[in-house]
Amino acid sequence: MKKGLLFFLIFFTVASSTGLALSWAYKFVVWEGGVYEVTEEVVDASDLGKKIGEVKRMADDRTGSYYGDASNYYEKGTKYYAINGIDTGTALAVEEQQDKWVKATYLHKAPFHWTDILPYILLVIATFLLFTLLSLRYASNREPRDQ
């Protein structure tokens, strides 16, 4: 009985600790708050515009969460390019390999993440600190009034 219970506990622990990864329906990249599905359509080098970004983090294949310039397939550092004649809100080019680019088309807005507003939070904090510092400096430089 004890061996059976021990075996069950060990089996349950091992079975529950094995990582389950998501199976993504398609390859995607995220750029400036938009999710772009990567197609198999090759983009010629002559159609490439300027570099507009790159993958900065991988999507979490256990929870499905992602934020910022992320991808579920491409490694960090994979570059995004504008495509001449096509608005970046519609499509962009992703560097598939060296000297090979594929088209990624806009699907939908990326989910909100608190880091999307981090620059604004930091700006508010810096403004508050600067205002406090200047107020304290002004108050310490004031001369007392004669009565």
Side-chain angles (χ1 to χ4, degrees):
M1 178 73 172
K2 288 182 181 180
K3 287 182 180 180
L5 182 60
L6 181 64
F7 174 76
F8 176 76
L9 287 174
I10 291 172
F11 175 77
F12 182 75
T13 303
V14 170
S16 66
S17 68
T18 56
L20 298 175
L22 291 175
S23 176
W24 299 96
Y26 51 85
K27 296 187 270 188
F28 69 83
V29 295
V30 182
W31 177 71
E32 288 197 350
V35 177
Y36 293 76
E37 179 179 3
V38 179
T39 67
E40 294 182 12
E41 184 179 340
V42 176
V43 177
D44 291 327
S46 61
D47 292 330
L48 288 181
K50 66 177 184 170
K51 177 187 168 204
I52 56 174
E54 65 182 48
V55 175
K56 295 184 179 158
R57 62 190 50 86
M58 297 296 294
D60 189 330
D61 59 356
R62 294 174 76 166
T63 65
S65 63
Y66 54 90
Y67 63 94
D69 292 342
S71 177
N72 66 339
Y73 181 79
Y74 295 97
E75 297 292 323
K76 291 179 186 178
T78 300
K79 295 171 183 58
Y80 310 148
Y81 294 88
I83 301 173
N84 294 329
I86 300 177
D87 181 49
T88 53
T90 304
L92 50 88
V94 177
E95 186 178 43
E96 179 83 9
Q97 304 169 2
Q98 187 173 354
D99 298 329
K100 181 184 178 194
W101 302 271
V102 290
K103 187 176 187 179
T105 57
Y106 180 84
L107 280 181
H108 57 81
K109 189 173 178 180
F112 174 78
H113 191 269
W114 71 270
T115 57
D116 295 338
I117 61 170
L118 184 60
Y120 303 108
I121 294 170
L122 294 175
L123 181 62
V124 168
I125 291 170
T127 303
F128 176 75
L129 291 174
L130 182 62
F131 177 76
T132 304
L133 179 68
L134 291 175
S135 296
L136 291 172
R137 187 172 184 192
Y138 174 75
S140 68
N141 287 339
R142 282 185 59 198
E143 294 181 28
R145 290 186 174 177
D146 292 331
Q147 294 183 0

